[in-house]
Amino acid sequence: MNRQFRGAAFAAAPFLLGSTAYAQSYGDYTAPRNAVVDAAGARMVEVEAGAGSLRIEGKAGLRQVQVTGTARSSSQRFLSEIRLIAERRGDVVFIKADIPDHESGFRDRDNWSAALDLVIQVPQGINAEVSDGSGEAKVLNVGALEASDGSGDFSVEGASSVHITDGSGNLRIENVGGDVTVSDGSGEIDVRNVTGSFTVETDGSGSIIATDVRGSVIVENDGSGEIEVNKVGRDFRVENKGSGSIDYTAVSGQVNIPDRRHGRRSDER
C-alpha cells in the first residue's frame, strides 16, 4: 500500500519541521506547497506521503481538506520537481506528495535529497487511509484508520479503529474507540486506552506495552523485547515469543503465555 490515510477528526497545531539536523539533511532550499479541496459528502481521505514529516488533524465543522506543505531539497532544480497533488476523486479526497526519485533522469541524481512536510486538516469523523515513507507522522482524532509506515515514529491520538503496518520506529496509539491491530518490524509499541481489543500480528524487536485495554490483548508472534500489560478487560494471550520478559497485572480474563521452563504456555490469572 502506498502512503494512504483514512481518518476522522484531528484537532491541531502546526507540525512542520523537526529539528535543525532534520532540516539540514534535506538542504537549504524550501518552497510552500498548499492546497484546499472540497470535502462535502466525502467518505474518506487518502494520503500518500513520502519523505518528510506528516501530521493529519481532524477538526469539527470543517468541510474542506486543507493542506499546508513545505517542500525541501538540497538543490533548487530538484525543489521545482516536488509537487503536491490534492484532488477530489468521487467520494474520496486524494492527497499525494509527489517527490522525484532516482529514476527521474537528473545527471546528478545520486547527490540530492528531497522531502515534503505536510500538515493536513480534515473534517472530523472522516475515515482515513495513510501510506507514509519516512519521517515522523502523527494522526489525531480520526475514524477508521488504515496506515502503512516505512520508518520514523508514528503516533495516533483518537480513532474509531486502527490497523497499522510499520517498518521501523516507535508506535504510540491511544484513545481508540474500537480495535487496534499492529504488524511491526522494530521499535517500541505503546498502546493505551483502547475500548476494543489489541492484537499484535507480528513484531520483530522492541518492547510491547499495553495499558487500559477493555477487550483482549493478543500477541501472535513476537521476536525480542519485553511485554508489559496492565488493566485488561478480557484475556491476555501470547502465542509465540522469542526473547524478553512478560509481565502483566490486572487482567480480568484468562492469561495464556509461554512457560519458558517447559517450552509451553501456562494458564494463570
Side-chain angles (χ1 to χ4, degrees):
M1 180 174 66
N2 292 327
R3 290 188 173 184
Q4 300 172 341
F5 156 91
R6 302 177 180 179
F10 300 145
F15 184 68
L16 294 176
L17 305 187
S19 64
T20 301
Y22 168 82
Q24 289 176 342
S25 69
Y26 291 103
D28 297 327
Y29 296 97
T30 66
R33 296 287 188 270
N34 304 323
V36 176
V37 181
D38 179 25
R43 173 180 57 88
M44 176 202 317
V45 174
E46 257 183 58
V47 177
E48 296 186 9
S53 63
L54 174 65
R55 180 180 179 108
I56 301 170
E57 318 171 42
K59 302 190 70 174
L62 193 65
R63 297 179 63 83
Q64 300 172 323
V65 171
Q66 301 173 353
V67 185
T68 303
T70 299
R72 306 186 164 280
S73 180
S74 57
S75 164
Q76 182 70 56
R77 181 185 180 191
F78 299 143
L79 182 68
S80 65
E81 297 293 320
I82 301 173
R83 298 190 306 140
L84 171 64
I85 300 172
E87 59 192 21
R88 183 73 179 258
R89 298 181 176 180
D91 60 357
V92 175
V93 176
F94 179 75
I95 308 295
K96 179 177 180 178
D98 189 8
I99 301 174
D101 56 28
H102 287 186
E103 303 291 324
S104 301
F106 295 117
R107 292 177 61 187
D108 55 345
R109 61 185 180 273
D110 293 329
N111 298 307
W112 63 274
S113 57
L116 180 54
D117 300 327
L118 294 174
V119 174
I120 305 172
Q121 294 184 333
V122 302
Q124 184 170 350
I126 196 169
N127 292 332
E129 184 173 296
V130 180
S131 177
D132 184 49
S134 62
E136 183 179 3
K138 189 166 189 175
V139 178
L140 302 94
N141 305 322
V142 302
L145 172 63
E146 182 85 19
S148 174
D149 182 52
S151 62
D153 293 349
F154 196 106
S155 63
V156 180
E157 296 180 14
S160 62
S161 64
V162 175
H163 184 198
I164 293 181
T165 300
D166 181 57
S168 63
N170 296 329
L171 283 177
R172 183 178 177 89
I173 303 168
E174 57 185 322
N175 303 330
V176 177
D179 294 335
V180 174
T181 304
V182 171
S183 294
D184 183 54
S186 63
E188 181 181 89
I189 303 171
D190 189 345
V191 173
R192 301 170 184 270
N193 190 23
V194 174
T195 300
S197 293
F198 169 44
T199 302
V200 178
E201 294 178 329
T202 181
D203 179 51
S205 63
S207 59
I208 299 172
I209 302 170
T211 305
D212 195 10
V213 176
R214 263 79 91 198
S216 297
V217 173
I218 302 168
V219 179
E220 296 178 354
N221 292 283
D222 182 48
S224 63
E226 63 185 5
I227 299 175
E228 296 182 7
V229 170
N230 180 42
K231 294 180 64 177
V232 177
R234 298 181 62 185
D235 300 336
F236 171 42
R237 185 169 80 246
V238 179
E239 297 178 356
N240 294 287
K241 181 76 173 84
S243 61
S245 62
I246 302 175
D247 297 304
Y248 61 91
T249 56
V251 176
S252 297
Q254 187 180 61
V255 175
N256 191 330
I257 62 177
D259 185 336
R260 299 187 180 284
R261 293 169 300 175
H262 305 290
R264 63 173 186 267
R265 304 173 192 163
S266 62
D267 293 331
E268 47 191 324
R269 289 286 176 95

